[in-house]
Amino acid sequence: MAITPPSVTRSPALTADLEAALAAQGPDYAPRTHLLEPDGKPRYVNRLIREASPYLLQHAHNPVDWHPWGEEAMAAAAGRDCPIFLSVGYATCHWCHVMEEESFDDEEIAAVLNARFVPVKLDREARPDLDQIYITATQLQQGHAGWPNSLWLMPDGTPFHTGTYFPKHQFLQVLAAVADAWDRQRPQIVEVAGRIAEAVRRQGALGGSGAAALEPETFDAAAAHLARMHNRAHGGFSDNQQFPQESFLLFLLDRWRREGDAEALGIARKTLDAIAAGGIHDHAGGGFHRYTVDINWRTPHFEKMLYNQGQLARAFTEGWEATGEPAWRRAAERCFAYVLRDMTDGAGAFFAAEDADSLDAAGRREEGAFYLWPAAEARELLGAEGDWAAATLGLGKPVGEVGPVAHLEPGAAVDFARLDPLLERLRAAREARHRPIRDEKVIAGWNGLMIRALAEAAVAFDRRDLAEAAARAAEAVWSRLWDGTRLARLWAGGAAREAGQLEDHVWMGLACLALAEADAFLAVPGPWAERAEALGATILRDFSDGAGRLRMAAEDGPLGPIYESSDGATPAGESAALELLARLGARGDMAAGAAAQRLVSAVSGPMREIPVLRTEALIGARVLAAGPSVLRRTLAGGTVAARLLRGGAAWELELAIAPGWHVNAPDPGTEGLTGAAIEGAGAAWPEPLSRSLGFAGAPLNVYEGRVRVPLSAPSDSIVLHLQPCSDTLCREPVAARFRLGARETER
């Protein structure tokens, strides 16, 4: 029977409701608490038992009388005239688990929280808009921020005191001090809350300069800043903990393709080599951990987030296209194998994350227990190959305090043909261990990041199976979360939940455009372009603020409209929207193209001041001004798709010409038309078709459908010239430059 938490009085109706919600969890339900009755049932149940978020359910049996975020909690705080204590985290957050076990599952702490505050739990992944408000408040007040994010709020949601993780003894002191100040120093608290609220509003609403475009100096400044940040010894952009910083890598690769900037490519190369080799890479199972706690990428913080998989897979794909480095293609493909094997639901959509913590052999929850490989255990499993594998993977040298993490030496020659079957044996054996908790939310935007990565890699690697997986995931997301006018944020507990955010619509829109390009080459049919256009229309209707900027959420938060001020672990939705709107504009969506121009103007001021804060927006600005730079592109308003295929040192151009259109052959046979040509490489164009078109007055030599053109002796960059025509009109001639410069052997 559900027991009321300490210092709480409940109505019989609420008690009955919570008991029914507990019973509905089913006979296999395992409450996450050490406070259990002799029969194994939880001693306490709170309102979070009615929620679908895995993070909130983790706290459903704390003695803390948690409320989910919402009007009910605010009304309770106003009615009791007490502050809200807000704890923000997510299901796979290690330090959230630590504070849960030390404090939130502690009856002494709970008694104070319940008596003096209205405790509220918020899943940051379900509500990134609210998380943006409160992580910004903590950053501004404390000078640093992270999760768990701990805040004390006025009943209307305005923060007045902030912090992150607190050990139990310190947390008790802070709770007592805040409660005392609420009673004795209310005017000062109101004043502090007002100052924080105003600072948060200013942080998000940074204005622009009104300029219609960014000067080259802005992009140069961003590249120079990243060069100064670059750790030349170990790669990455830090002298301490190492995060992948995927948006930095994608910006540097884009800059190399556009400018031939060798330093930009060198920084990306050093960093991708380090990530592919380091302990941040799960060598046994594929995929990547979120970050490392050391400078040389070897000691990971073991949680695995879907958004890292999608972004890093894209970076490795683009890096492989630039260099032909086989270890990078291998890293991307093993990441896809991990996601499709371990992070995919029955309908094909992708789960959100896997925890850092898992149970060790003794049943204790430890960070990384699932992933560690003591050398003796690996040798016993691998037999005659055990010594070589253990030495190759560095298992004889425990990494930091966590133990033996598999890693390679960056840049070292590795016999992957010999190593990979051994890694598969380690992975299969690892399945007998206790797996980390998997957060099975399906988040629309994070799925968009992964779908885009799969679709783009499918075209780059010429792998239709990856495109099919991307299309299946997109259909699963669309059927569950699109209501005809807007996306929901996520799927959990068998239902769509929370309003979709800007980032959900943007990242799914870019995923749909990637699928449209994949369909042109690999036949994964679907209304991909139409869906991208629908998402673009939703963005302009629901997220535009009327002044050129895009809000994170369609609805205002407690402090007013919510904006992002920079890219973070994922690109800001507003930053990525610039690329989506620019690409939709190039396909003929005039409203999207105009909105992209307004957005550049609205954010250009801050981008000039500190351009490295918005590297994703810098990529979008270049797309708006000059089109994409990647080796896979849609040209001439969607009438032609082009890709450059790398096969070792050989290259091949492929065109996919839309039905009803043709491309004029090198010698069209009629003056005034531009024939297909390639500058900078020999081109073995196939025999064209000869067609009679009324407007031309004579037979024309043309290409239709799919055309493959082997290239010989390509230079660092080539320029493709073509002119697409229908039976009644011709579009303007196209000249598209592709940079191929970095050779497979250049390091």
Side-chain angles (χ1 to χ4, degrees):
M1 180 175 180
I3 299 178
T4 301
S7 304
V8 171
T9 301
R10 276 190 185 150
S11 70
L14 177 58
T15 299
D17 183 46
L18 298 184
E19 289 176 353
L22 174 61
Q25 300 296 324
D28 297 328
Y29 177 67
R32 183 184 169 104
T33 180
H34 75 284
L35 301 172
L36 298 171
E37 299 296 349
D39 62 1
K41 292 182 180 179
R43 189 177 304 170
Y44 301 107
V45 179
N46 59 58
R47 291 168 179 81
L48 301 185
I49 193 64
R50 301 182 295 195
E51 300 299 309
S53 160
Y55 175 62
L56 299 187
L57 286 170
Q58 287 174 359
H59 294 267
H61 304 292
N62 297 157
V64 177
D65 189 32
W66 293 114
H67 291 65
W69 177 270
E71 293 298 328
E72 178 184 318
M74 292 184 176
R80 288 174 51 191
D81 187 31
C82 69
I84 291 170
F85 169 70
L86 175 65
S87 177
V88 187
Y90 55 102
T92 57
C93 166
H94 171 71
W95 286 103
C96 299
H97 300 335
V98 174
M99 194 164 178
E100 170 196 1
E101 293 176 4
E102 289 181 348
S103 293
F104 300 144
D105 220 31
D106 180 88
E107 291 167 310
E108 181 184 10
I109 291 279
V112 177
L113 273 173
N114 297 341
R116 302 306 304 270
F117 306 93
V118 172
V120 174
K121 264 286 173 190
L122 178 66
D123 183 344
R124 68 173 295 259
E125 295 170 352
R127 292 296 305 269
D129 55 333
L130 296 174
D131 179 63
Q132 175 72 12
I133 296 171
Y134 294 118
I135 203 71
T136 301
T138 302
Q139 179 69 45
L140 289 170
Q141 188 177 51
Q142 303 296 335
H144 61 88
W147 300 276
N149 193 18
S150 303
L151 306 101
W152 286 263
L153 317 178
M154 307 295 289
D156 66 358
T158 306
F160 63 86
H161 187 64
T162 62
T164 53
Y165 162 76
F166 293 98
K168 177 185 172 180
H169 70 279
Q170 185 181 358
F171 192 43
L172 277 171
Q173 294 170 355
V174 174
L175 290 175
V178 172
D180 183 68
W182 182 262
D183 292 338
R184 298 173 180 270
Q185 298 174 296
R186 187 77 61 87
Q188 292 93 321
I189 285 177
V190 172
E191 181 183 354
V192 170
R195 289 202 304 267
I196 292 176
E198 182 56 32
V200 171
R201 292 188 191 100
R202 286 199 308 269
Q203 185 80 4
L206 296 174
S209 67
L214 293 170
E215 302 83 357
E217 290 78 11
T218 302
F219 303 94
D220 296 343
H225 192 147
L226 293 178
R228 292 192 298 272
M229 293 174 64
H230 176 52
N231 185 318
R232 297 187 180 276
H234 300 287
F237 304 91
S238 171
D239 293 323
N240 198 324
Q241 295 179 331
Q242 291 275 22
F243 287 82
Q245 302 285 11
E246 297 95 337
S247 64
F248 290 175
L249 297 172
L250 292 168
F251 168 78
L252 291 166
L253 291 167
D254 180 78
R255 180 171 175 85
W256 172 77
R257 290 191 299 264
R258 293 183 189 278
E259 311 292 344
D261 185 335
E263 184 178 26
L265 181 61
I267 294 169
R269 187 193 294 275
K270 181 77 174 180
T271 303
L272 289 172
D273 274 345
I275 293 171
I280 192 172
H281 186 180
D282 177 7
H283 290 276
F288 302 94
H289 302 294
R290 193 162 76 91
Y291 67 94
T292 64
V293 299
D294 52 18
I295 197 172
N296 61 4
W297 300 95
R298 290 186 179 175
T299 311
H301 180 57
F302 288 91
E303 65 187 315
K304 291 170 110 175
M305 314 301 294
L306 182 64
Y307 59 73
N308 286 129
Q309 315 312 315
Q311 293 180 99
L312 270 172
R314 277 189 68 212
F316 277 113
T317 299
E318 291 189 11
W320 175 81
E321 288 180 303
T323 66
E325 172 54 55
W328 296 359
R329 175 167 176 170
R330 173 183 175 274
E333 291 183 314
R334 286 172 62 81
C335 176
F336 295 138
Y338 156 67
V339 170
L340 295 175
R341 180 188 64 239
D342 295 337
M343 295 288 285
T344 303
D345 73 8
F350 305 126
F351 298 131
E354 286 192 300
D355 208 326
D357 300 352
S358 53
L359 299 180
D360 64 13
R364 297 184 300 265
R365 182 175 286 111
E366 296 289 345
E367 184 179 3
F370 181 72
Y371 297 101
L372 301 179
W373 277 105
E377 185 179 349
R379 290 191 185 101
E380 181 180 0
L381 177 66
L382 299 178
E385 293 279 48
D387 287 341
W388 177 81
T392 301
L393 296 171
L395 299 181
K397 308 170 188 175
V399 176
E401 298 180 359
V402 300
V405 178
H407 62 276
L408 306 172
E409 290 298 324
V414 178
D415 185 352
F416 287 119
R418 181 181 179 187
L419 181 62
D420 284 348
L422 304 179
L423 291 173
E424 176 57 21
R425 288 168 64 183
L426 293 179
R427 186 200 69 78
R430 192 171 79 178
E431 291 301 304
R433 299 175 177 176
H434 294 282
R435 285 197 69 92
I437 293 170
R438 184 171 62 190
D439 183 343
E440 297 191 352
K441 297 194 305 288
V442 172
I443 299 174
W446 295 12
N447 270 253
L449 293 172
M450 194 71 233
I451 292 163
R452 181 182 186 182
L454 281 163
E456 291 181 351
V459 178
F461 302 155
D462 206 24
R463 283 188 54 181
R464 188 170 184 269
D465 62 315
L466 298 182
E468 289 173 335
R472 186 165 178 253
E475 287 292 354
V477 171
W478 199 263
S479 64
R480 292 171 175 177
L481 300 181
W482 178 254
D483 67 3
T485 58
R486 252 171 84 174
L487 287 169
R489 169 69 175 169
L490 58 89
W491 180 267
R497 301 176 189 275
E498 305 289 355
Q501 309 249 313
L502 172 64
E503 65 185 36
D504 297 306
H505 294 80
V506 171
W507 297 341
M508 275 302 299
L510 289 165
C512 287
L513 289 183
L515 277 166
E517 291 181 351
D519 179 39
F521 295 108
L522 300 170
V524 282
W528 310 122
E530 294 83 355
R531 287 179 179 175
E533 291 165 2
L535 291 165
T538 298
I539 290 167
L540 299 187
R541 184 190 70 230
D542 292 349
F543 297 93
S544 175
D545 70 353
R549 291 200 64 185
L550 299 171
R551 300 167 296 172
M552 285 188 71
E555 291 76 32
D556 290 350
L559 307 183
I562 306 170
Y563 297 93
E564 293 164 289
S565 57
S566 65
D567 299 331
T570 56
E574 189 176 50
S575 295
L578 190 49
E579 180 185 357
L580 174 64
L581 296 172
R583 291 176 60 183
L584 289 174
R587 284 175 163 268
D589 186 335
M590 297 178 65
Q597 294 287 356
R598 292 193 298 273
L599 182 54
V600 167
S601 175
V603 300
S604 59
M607 288 170 66
R608 285 189 180 88
E609 292 173 10
I610 313 177
V612 77
L613 293 180
R614 290 265 191 164
T615 49
E616 184 79 9
L618 293 177
I619 295 172
R622 296 301 298 267
V623 172
L624 179 64
S629 68
V630 290
L631 302 188
R632 304 151 266 110
R633 301 185 209 171
T634 297
L635 305 171
T639 59
V640 181
R643 66 172 171 172
L644 271 295
L645 289 170
R646 177 188 274 276
W651 288 91
E652 188 174 48
L653 167 72
E654 183 174 13
L655 302 179
I657 304 163
W661 293 86
H662 60 264
V663 166
N664 297 317
D667 181 10
T670 297
E671 291 186 11
L673 297 178
T674 298
I678 295 176
E679 292 180 41
W685 288 94
E687 192 69 23
L689 303 172
S690 180
R691 290 199 49 188
S692 295
L693 300 176
F695 76 89
L700 285 178
N701 295 321
V702 300
Y703 296 119
E704 297 177 342
R706 301 275 289 279
V707 182
R708 285 206 174 199
V709 186
L711 305 180
S712 58
S715 59
D716 283 356
S717 63
I718 66 171
V719 180
L720 168 65
H721 297 272
L722 56 82
Q723 185 174 26
C725 301
S726 69
D727 287 356
T728 57
L729 62 89
C730 286
R731 299 184 70 99
E732 289 293 320
V734 171
R737 180 177 296 275
F738 300 84
R739 186 170 297 280
L740 313 178
R743 297 294 192 272
E744 190 170 0
T745 56
E746 290 179 1
R747 296 200 60 79

